[in-house]
Amino acid sequence: DIQMTQSPSTLSASVGDRVTITCRASQSISSWLAWYQQKPGKAPKLLIYKASSLESGVPSRFSGSGSGTEFTLTISSLQPDDFATYYCQQCNFYWTFGQGTKVEIK
Amino acid sequence: QLQLQESGPGLVKPSETLSLTCTVSGGSISSSSYYWGWIRQPPGKGLEWIATIYDSGSTYYNSSLKSRVTISVDTSKTQFSLKLSSVTAADTAVYYCARDLTYGPSGGRAFDIWGQGTLVTVSS
């Protein structure tokens, strides 16, 4: 099975900060990676697919990069609505989620 | 606008079988671009993929749950279902159904549409 490891587990940041979350796969997954945002009590929302493609309707301050085993999600200027938990997910071989990164207010 | 809605008992006794249905409305369940999946989230924890099905009937299961899980699809009812047998307290979670969309031949894929989730508690 492919394991996905996110870092950090928790990130404290302020509005306007540039935020980067890392996701590492236990083996190469090419670009078969998606990123989701989840707020308490809500279903996850798709942000990025194929490592760097922005889902329709998602603000351009979100971007993704990487291939192979290392990937990043960047929020260029953190907004109040962005405080949430973020998950990466591989779909190269079956499906696996990372453990999540909580972005909290500093 | 395609919508997904989970339904099923909110309380299941230990050792029994959890059964959930996801109803797809506002669109087709049959397409070469769609797979359909179940994901769960224990209280306060992360997301765990459970199973995925293609409308042809091809199924894919999380290896850690494979012996207890069955996913099926009923295209005539635009529904797909999950059965998880021999449940324990560790199976208490919010269960989500979701559409796995393929963005063209090399365009990647992701769970792009999700149901609101349903909490299933395993307790006697």
Side-chain angles (χ1 to χ4, degrees), chain A residues 29-51:
Chain A
I29 58 170
S30 185
S31 296
W32 296 95
L33 186 100
W35 288 97
Y36 301 85
Q37 176 193 67
Q38 187 181 34
K39 296 181 179 179
K42 300 294 187 180
K45 173 188 175 183
L46 176 64
L47 300 175
I48 302 281
Y49 63 93
K50 203 186 177 188

Side-chain angles (χ1 to χ4, degrees), chain B residues 61-112:
Chain B
Y61 296 111
N62 185 321
S63 59
S64 67
L65 299 169
K66 186 174 184 177
S67 63
R68 299 193 292 129
V69 174
T70 302
I71 188 171
S72 59
V73 63
D74 186 336
T75 55
S76 66
K77 294 183 179 179
T78 64
Q79 293 177 336
F80 61 105
S81 300
L82 176 75
K83 292 187 185 298
L84 179 64
S85 64
S86 304
V87 297
T88 69
D91 296 309
T92 294
V94 174
Y95 286 76
Y96 295 100
C97 60
R99 184 179 78 172
D100 183 321
L101 174 66
T102 299
Y103 295 82
S106 60
R109 65 189 306 160
F111 291 113
D112 70 322

Side-chain angles (χ1 to χ4, degrees), chain A residues 1 31-34 36 38 41-46 48-50 53 55 87 89 91 94-99, chain B residues 35 39 41 45-49 52 60-63 96 100 103 105-112 114-116:
Chain A
D1 293 3
S31 296
W32 296 95
L33 186 100
Y36 301 85
Q38 187 181 34
K42 300 294 187 180
K45 173 188 175 183
L46 176 64
I48 302 281
Y49 63 93
K50 203 186 177 188
S53 296
E55 173 71 347
Y87 293 92
Q89 176 234 326
C91 47
Y94 289 33
W95 295 258
T96 315
F97 288 91
Q99 81 278 17
Chain B
Y35 287 62
I39 300 100
Q41 185 170 37
K45 296 187 178 180
L47 301 167
E48 179 182 34
W49 169 71
T52 292
Y60 309 85
Y61 296 111
N62 185 321
S63 59
Y96 295 100
D100 183 321
Y103 295 82
S106 60
R109 65 189 306 160
F111 291 113
D112 70 322
W114 294 64
Q116 64 185 24

